[in-house]
Amino acid sequence: QVQLVESGGGLVQPGGSLRLSCAASGSISSINVMGWYRQAPGKQRELVAHASSGGRTNYSDSMKGRFTISRDNAKNTVYLQMNSLKPEDTAVYFCNLLVQVSSKWYNYWGQGTQVTVSS
């Protein structure tokens, strides 16, 4: 099957930066959309950004200009560079990949990584 491993979360002061990574491994034929979601305590999971296999990206309005999603297709890895972080960015961040295994497509989630923005 497919495994996703996230890394890069942590504690950062307001205005700081973090870079999240999500690496996929296993029986992968191809990956279509790679994205990031987040879930704050007591709130629903929300889209942060996603990137298509063709390079098209889409961001939630509150992240535009501060966050950048990128992907390394050779490494089956998606990144999220987060700058100018705010306390309201505090959440668990999850990567989400649409992966082709053999002839079928599957939706996979990472285990989540905690991002805490606090002074």
Side-chain angles (χ1 to χ4, degrees), residues 64-113:
K64 286 181 181 178
R66 299 190 299 122
F67 292 7
T68 302
I69 189 171
S70 60
R71 54 190 287 171
D72 184 333
N73 293 326
K75 296 181 179 179
N76 290 332
T77 299
V78 60
Y79 305 95
L80 184 68
Q81 177 67 44
M82 304 185 293
N83 299 327
S84 302
L85 283 161
K86 305 175 183 180
E88 51 264 42
D89 294 318
T90 295
V92 179
Y93 285 70
F94 299 89
C95 62
N96 176 257
L97 276 61
L98 184 59
V99 178
Q100 185 180 25
V101 179
S102 299
S103 60
K104 296 183 179 180
W105 290 92
Y106 298 89
N107 195 32
Y108 287 97
W109 290 92
Q111 81 278 12
T113 185

Side-chain angles (χ1 to χ4, degrees), residues 4-78:
L4 273 59
V5 178
E6 297 185 30
S7 61
L11 173 64
V12 64
Q13 292 186 343
S17 298
L18 283 175
R19 188 191 193 210
L20 306 183
S21 300
C22 174
S25 61
S27 304
I28 298 171
S29 298
S30 66
I31 301 177
N32 191 343
V33 179
M34 307 177 86
W36 290 94
Y37 289 74
R38 71 184 186 184
Q39 188 166 17
K43 295 187 177 181
Q44 290 188 334
R45 190 170 298 188
E46 63 174 346
L47 173 70
V48 175
H50 58 71
S52 70
S53 57
R56 187 171 182 177
T57 58
N58 184 55
Y59 296 88
S60 178
D61 287 344
S62 62
M63 291 76 162
K64 286 181 181 178
R66 299 190 299 122
F67 292 7
T68 302
I69 189 171
S70 60
R71 54 190 287 171
D72 184 333
N73 293 326
K75 296 181 179 179
N76 290 332
T77 299
V78 60

